[in-house]
Amino acid sequence: MLERRATAPTRQAEKPFAILRRHYDDRLLAARTAHAGGRRVIGSIGPGVPMELAMATGHVSVAIAPLPGHPTPRADRYVTETFEPLMRPAFDQLIGDELSFLEAVIVVSRAERDALVYHSAKEVVRLGEGDHIPPLHLLSLLGHRDAATVEYGLGQFRLLVQRLRAISGDDATEAALKKAIRSGNRQRQLMRKLSAARRGKPALPGREALVALGAAKFMAPDDYSETLARFVSALKPDKTLAALPRLLVVSSIPLSSLHIYETLEAAGAVIVAEDDWWGSRATGPDIRVGDDALTSIFTHYHLHTPNRAIYPAAHRLGWFFAESRKPDIDGIVFYLPPSDRTLGWDYPRMKAYADRHGKPSLLIRSDVFDDTGRKETAAAAAAFVADVARPRPRKRSS
Amino acid sequence: MNIAVDRRGAATRAQHDLKCAAEIRAHQKGWFAGLRRRVVDEGEPYALVPAVAPHEIFEAFDMLYVCNEWWSGITAARRLSAHYFDLLNAHGYHRGLPGYAALSLATALEGDSPNQPMGGLPKPAFVLYQGQEGPAARWEGVAEAFGCPAVIATLNPDPARIQHRWWDVSKRMWEDLYDTQRINCVVEGYRQVIAACERATGRKFDIDKLREVMARANAQEEAFDEVRNLIATAPKTPVSLADELAIVMTIQWHRGSQWALDAARIYRDEIKERVAAGAAICPNESIRLAWGGVGLWQNVHFYRAFEQSHGAVFVRSLYMSIAVDGYIRYGLRDPLRALASRYAGLTQEFSQPPASTEWFIHDARHYRCDGAVILPDDTKFMSIALEKAGIPTMVLHVDAVDGRSWDNDRILGEVGDFIAKRVVPNRGNT
């Protein structure tokens, strides 16, 4: 043991991307380490679980999002083939004993289907077959922007704070919340810096960016920020990437793995942005601290968490409308595998918008998690990238 | 020019046994013709609304409205769904999207066409849509295709409250059953519906009138409750599920009107007479089946396909039972709040276990069902629960409205095998 310690690189000496990649691949590493060190750890499922509330009440928070593409025998007992494909491994992990050390798992719901993993796990408990499942908390939010919805959402945040305080005994004081906001904002600033380094003259391929941004969900915020700061400081435009077509990706499933990116970038493109909370939309702006820190945190998550269920289209698709037309986007890939039941209703509108702004686009309906789908995707991507790379008359964006 | 439309799907027609079925069907046809005339010729406003929406508000305004799911059912029953789903695909909406409530989008995209059912939907004053996952985008598409505004009002039900045996308390203790804050949000949303109705009609909202409408809706569902008990306890089933679906849903789409209340009572009285006279749709009935999921609108005759061959009748669907158990709201001091409480829980109650599973088991036992045939879902909890309760269950893989998914031989063969191999040997054990 001592020998291993002596030969292992210190954290400072280890290359920052290697640290990020290790946490991206071993998604419970930080959680297990924190637990072994006596820290209280909570899990989260879904976009927009406020890490600041976890931090302020003395918890380490990690996302429950196992890498897909592995068998899910426990989930298979209870769910069918139409269950959300990336929720399936999360559900499988949740009902096993791997997560039993967590103090609680927070599931965020903004639309009916978001809550399915929560209800399914609850039902397994009710059936007497889920003794290992950690306590579950549903953070139920609504997509409206009116006063009643804001009041409701803020109430839900207060309930979550109370639940977390009941677990740890640590009160989320104003000072603790503000400290957590500062920590979270530092992380946001670095992540935005990373996202900016992808645009214009890209400094890194999309698959590396996805790893670096995604690792935030599995590391303690300060550890992550320290590592990401070292990684970002070394970034500079990469000449080999400068010649490649720059793509924006819109996916109906969360981009929590690299499958689609590896396939697309192998075709000779670089992905510079994605309409997804695992990538370009992971942060939003800083939290602006007002008179009440909890209200500030809620307002940030309410306004800036990407949400396919939000309405109207101007809100739901606002990011896509703003980013997809920019000159440093050469093409758009819409990834709508067979599991899609939501984004497809917006696809014609988004495609028409891309067409109007002279942006070529590719629709992929194959499933990259199976061999046939991956081959189909690779072939379609190769043809598309070749087409995008071909010199064409410039169209003006209106 | 009248271009012959491509009709696909099950070609059989339902057989009707009840006098009131024909009358109610004729009323609905006349009502829609009248609506079209009033909207197209006289410029009266109407709203296109989802099934899970506060229709009572429109009724209180005397404002015309059309239920979107009814439109899907009509389009499917006329074997036009395949044509319209192909049209959606041609507009870029992929085939994997849930199509159950999407046929209004397809017919709106097609525009004026002589092929549309009953002359087609005229342009609404506005569409009302639900804020839950994909349908928001779909409803926005409908509004754009018609060139009318979209009003967002129906919020999701409360996902945090999944109640065991909710139907025991929901009618009177709704304020205790559901989250008060959630009900507040739904009420706020309904104020926006009211404002939209006021803009469209030029009339002011009258809460006393809403109370009267709600009271009539309660009385209508009470009549349905009597029907449910009559069917459940009758020695042999007096009405086919095909007839019941058409009757109950037509009445539900006019919920709270005097016509709906009268029609529900006429239906109840005819069922009472039939039970007293020993009338049975299947004299050799020996098996009772429950249906789970939305109605098989593309072929309701399916529900009668096993009477002669197996003595099997379908007696239970969610439509009658949710009308009785999920819609009634007593305590109408604040009718808007009572109405909001219904939608603070409704879809969870028939879709999320244990609310959905325990309710189905309770209902199936009340109807003395020997087995259940259910549509596919994302989870297996319904099958697990029903089988655990001793009710043999089959998942039937077919789309409720998409005629392209109908394979008559496969479907009848699978269900026939299920009845013979699973239900018959288990009979008497449920």
Side-chain angles (χ1 to χ4, degrees):
Chain A
M1 190 73 179
L2 284 171
E3 277 179 13
R4 275 185 68 194
R5 264 191 204 162
T7 54
T10 64
R11 193 174 184 82
Q12 192 63 36
E14 191 177 4
K15 286 193 173 175
F17 187 76
I19 297 171
L20 297 168
R21 180 79 206 214
R22 195 167 66 243
H23 284 280
Y24 185 85
D25 290 338
D26 184 356
R27 296 181 169 195
L28 291 176
L29 174 61
R32 288 192 306 267
T33 307
H35 176 68
R39 302 286 307 277
R40 295 178 191 278
V41 185
I42 61 163
S44 67
I45 295 178
V49 174
M51 63 177 167
E52 290 81 4
L53 304 192
M55 291 163 70
T57 50
H59 294 89
V60 173
S61 162
V62 293
I64 306 302
L67 284 163
H70 301 288
T72 53
R74 292 167 299 209
D76 297 349
R77 283 186 64 196
Y78 303 107
V79 302
T80 64
E81 66 280 2
T82 60
F83 197 80
E84 289 281 352
L86 295 187
M87 280 294 111
R88 192 185 197 93
F91 176 61
D92 188 78
Q93 193 173 58
L94 188 58
I95 63 175
D97 55 9
E98 221 175 331
L99 302 178
S100 55
F101 70 93
L102 299 180
E103 300 289 339
V105 172
I106 317 299
V107 182
V108 67
S109 157
R110 286 184 174 76
E112 279 186 22
R113 282 167 64 85
D114 293 346
L116 195 53
V117 70
Y118 169 84
H119 290 310
S120 299
K122 280 279 191 187
E123 184 63 1
V124 173
V125 171
R126 194 182 76 90
L127 293 171
E129 297 164 13
D131 291 346
H132 298 296
I133 299 175
L136 299 168
H137 181 95
L138 186 68
L139 179 64
S140 169
L141 301 170
L142 296 164
H144 262 325
R145 295 284 168 94
D146 62 22
T149 302
V150 168
E151 191 178 38
Y152 179 81
L154 192 52
Q156 289 288 307
F157 267 48
R158 289 193 202 289
L159 284 175
L160 176 58
V161 169
Q162 288 163 14
R163 178 94 189 241
L164 294 172
R165 184 182 60 202
I167 293 169
S168 66
D170 291 355
D171 201 4
T173 62
E174 194 70 5
L177 286 168
K178 284 181 176 165
K179 186 179 171 202
I181 290 172
R182 281 194 298 276
S183 176
N185 279 349
R186 176 156 187 256
Q187 179 176 309
R188 289 185 181 90
Q189 287 153 17
L190 290 161
M191 291 169 85
R192 288 200 302 270
K193 210 167 171 183
L194 172 66
S195 294
R198 303 170 65 191
R199 304 299 292 263
K201 294 175 180 169
L204 72 170
R207 57 190 184 278
E208 284 184 18
L210 214 55
V211 169
L213 293 168
K217 293 177 169 47
F218 310 111
M219 295 175 71
D222 291 339
D223 287 347
Y224 175 73
S225 292
E226 183 266 321
T227 311
L228 190 65
R230 288 200 288 133
F231 180 60
V232 169
S233 68
L235 290 174
K236 52 184 179 222
D238 182 332
K239 284 180 187 164
T240 57
L241 299 176
L244 304 179
R246 297 159 297 182
L247 303 182
L248 181 149
V249 171
V250 182
S251 171
S252 66
I253 58 170
L255 294 168
S256 62
S257 76
L258 301 178
H259 292 68
I260 185 73
Y261 275 44
E262 285 170 345
T263 309
L264 292 174
E265 292 194 328
V270 56
I271 297 163
V272 298
E274 49 284 307
D275 187 356
D276 196 90
W277 62 286
W278 283 81
S280 305
R281 302 192 66 192
T283 60
D286 281 5
I287 295 180
R288 294 171 59 185
V289 184
D291 292 339
D292 176 65
L294 183 63
T295 304
S296 303
I297 293 168
F298 167 74
T299 304
H300 171 87
Y301 283 94
H302 182 61
L303 293 179
H304 300 297
T305 303
N307 182 0
R308 294 259 180 252
I310 206 168
Y311 31 84
H315 286 160
R316 189 173 61 249
L317 306 179
W319 185 93
F320 173 80
F321 290 157
E323 296 300 318
S324 63
R325 57 186 284 185
K326 288 187 173 167
D328 68 345
I329 301 295
D330 300 314
I332 300 164
V333 174
F334 295 97
Y335 178 50
L336 280 69
S339 62
D340 174 52
R341 283 185 270 179
T342 302
L343 186 59
W345 293 118
D346 266 325
Y347 166 70
R349 191 192 314 264
M350 297 168 95
K351 163 87 165 66
Y353 184 86
D355 290 348
R356 276 202 305 280
H357 291 278
K359 302 292 184 184
S361 66
L362 170 68
L363 171 64
I364 296 172
R365 298 242 42 237
S366 304
D367 185 352
V368 291
F369 293 111
D370 71 49
D371 287 343
T372 308
R374 196 157 39 248
K375 282 175 192 159
E376 288 168 355
T377 303
F384 177 69
V385 169
D387 185 49
V388 173
R390 191 176 306 134
R392 65 189 66 225
R394 284 177 67 86
K395 286 190 181 177
R396 284 179 58 200
S397 285
S398 56
Chain B
M1 186 174 66
N2 193 349
I3 300 165
V5 72
D6 169 26
R7 292 181 196 270
R8 277 173 279 161
T12 48
R13 295 187 69 81
Q15 168 197 337
H16 303 288
D17 300 288
L18 270 69
K19 289 195 298 275
C20 71
E23 291 165 18
I24 288 168
R25 210 168 51 250
H27 172 272
Q28 185 69 356
K29 203 171 171 182
W31 163 81
F32 188 72
L35 180 142
R36 274 189 56 82
R37 180 178 41 74
R38 287 163 69 180
V39 172
V40 176
D41 299 342
E42 298 164 22
E44 227 180 294
Y46 93 98
L48 180 63
V49 306
V52 181
H55 298 178
E56 284 84 349
I57 292 175
F58 297 93
E59 196 61 46
F61 268 98
D62 288 325
M63 181 175 170
L64 297 167
Y65 66 94
V66 173
C67 174
N68 181 56
E69 280 76 356
W70 169 74
W71 185 251
S72 274
I74 285 290
T75 309
R78 296 183 180 213
R79 298 171 55 226
L80 292 167
S81 62
H83 165 75
Y84 284 111
F85 284 126
D86 285 347
L87 187 144
L88 280 178
N89 300 157
H91 275 81
Y93 298 100
H94 66 72
R95 193 169 174 151
L97 290 166
Y100 181 63
L103 288 165
S104 61
L105 174 59
T107 54
L109 286 168
E110 186 182 48
D112 284 341
S113 161
N115 296 318
Q116 297 209 356
M118 303 172 89
L121 287 171
K123 178 182 174 178
F126 63 87
V127 299
L128 175 69
Y129 70 94
Q130 294 165 288
Q132 53 190 45
E133 54 164 302
R138 194 193 70 221
W139 276 105
E140 285 169 22
V142 175
E144 282 173 12
F146 275 121
C148 72
V151 174
I152 313 150
T154 309
L155 293 157
N156 307 338
D158 179 7
R161 305 265 181 127
I162 303 298
Q163 307 286 356
H164 192 251
R165 296 192 66 86
W166 53 271
W167 62 94
D168 280 344
V169 290
S170 63
K171 297 179 182 72
R172 295 182 190 279
M173 295 182 67
W174 40 265
E175 187 72 62
D176 307 273
L177 185 64
Y178 307 108
D179 177 21
T180 288
Q181 291 299 325
R182 194 77 172 202
I183 299 175
N184 293 346
C185 283
V186 182
V187 168
E188 286 298 319
Y190 288 176
R191 292 196 202 287
Q192 293 167 32
V193 183
I194 288 166
C197 291
E198 288 181 336
R199 283 195 299 274
T201 63
R203 295 188 284 272
K204 293 298 288 180
F205 176 60
D206 180 348
I207 197 154
D208 292 327
K209 197 157 179 201
L210 178 65
R211 192 176 293 109
E212 290 166 18
V213 169
M214 291 284 288
R216 274 198 297 273
N218 283 346
Q220 171 204 307
E221 313 301 10
E222 286 164 6
F224 283 163
D225 195 11
E226 289 184 64
V227 175
R228 182 170 66 165
N229 285 330
L230 285 163
I231 298 169
T233 55
K236 294 198 172 166
T237 307
V239 57
S240 71
L241 197 61
D243 265 350
E244 181 177 288
L245 288 177
I247 291 168
V248 168
M249 293 325 293
T250 303
I251 293 171
Q252 278 286 77
W253 304 145
H254 298 279
R255 198 171 55 248
S257 69
Q258 190 59 48
W259 176 83
L261 175 56
D262 293 345
R265 287 174 174 166
I266 289 167
Y267 175 45
R268 174 200 61 193
D269 293 344
E270 189 172 352
I271 293 295
K272 207 179 274 182
E273 283 170 21
R274 286 179 66 84
V275 171
I281 56 156
C282 174
N284 64 326
E285 174 186 320
S286 59
I287 297 285
R288 286 184 157 212
L289 296 171
W291 175 256
V294 296
L296 192 56
W297 300 114
Q298 65 155 309
N299 182 16
V300 290
H301 183 71
F302 160 84
Y303 297 120
R304 306 208 62 176
F306 308 96
E307 292 175 6
Q308 289 190 1
S309 57
H310 297 78
V313 293
F314 280 90
V315 290
R316 184 269 174 196
S317 80
L318 77 86
Y319 294 98
M320 168 71 91
S321 294
I322 201 67
V324 175
D325 292 330
Y327 275 69
I328 292 176
R329 286 293 179 269
Y330 298 119
L332 298 176
R333 183 189 177 106
D334 181 348
L336 196 62
R337 190 165 187 82
L339 183 61
S341 80
R342 183 198 288 161
Y343 297 102
L346 194 70
T347 55
Q348 300 285 350
E349 286 158 355
F350 59 72
S351 63
Q352 291 300 341
S356 58
T357 48
E358 296 305 305
W359 180 55
F360 197 124
I361 291 167
H362 169 81
D363 215 28
R365 284 181 174 151
H366 183 49
Y367 274 107
R368 309 187 335 261
C369 290
D370 305 291
V373 179
I374 64 176
L375 289 176
D377 194 7
D378 292 334
T379 73
K380 300 174 183 173
F381 291 120
M382 184 59 83
S383 300
I384 291 169
L386 289 167
E387 293 281 0
K388 201 171 170 185
I391 302 169
T393 302
M394 166 188 181
V395 179
L396 182 61
H397 290 274
V398 66
D399 187 278
V401 292
D402 190 344
R404 297 174 302 185
S405 69
W406 191 261
D407 178 345
N408 205 56
D409 291 345
R410 173 184 72 80
I411 291 168
L412 297 193
E414 284 177 7
V415 178
D417 275 359
F418 164 70
I419 294 169
K421 292 176 183 166
R422 296 279 331 275
V423 182
V424 170
N426 192 58
R427 193 168 36 188
N429 296 331
T430 48

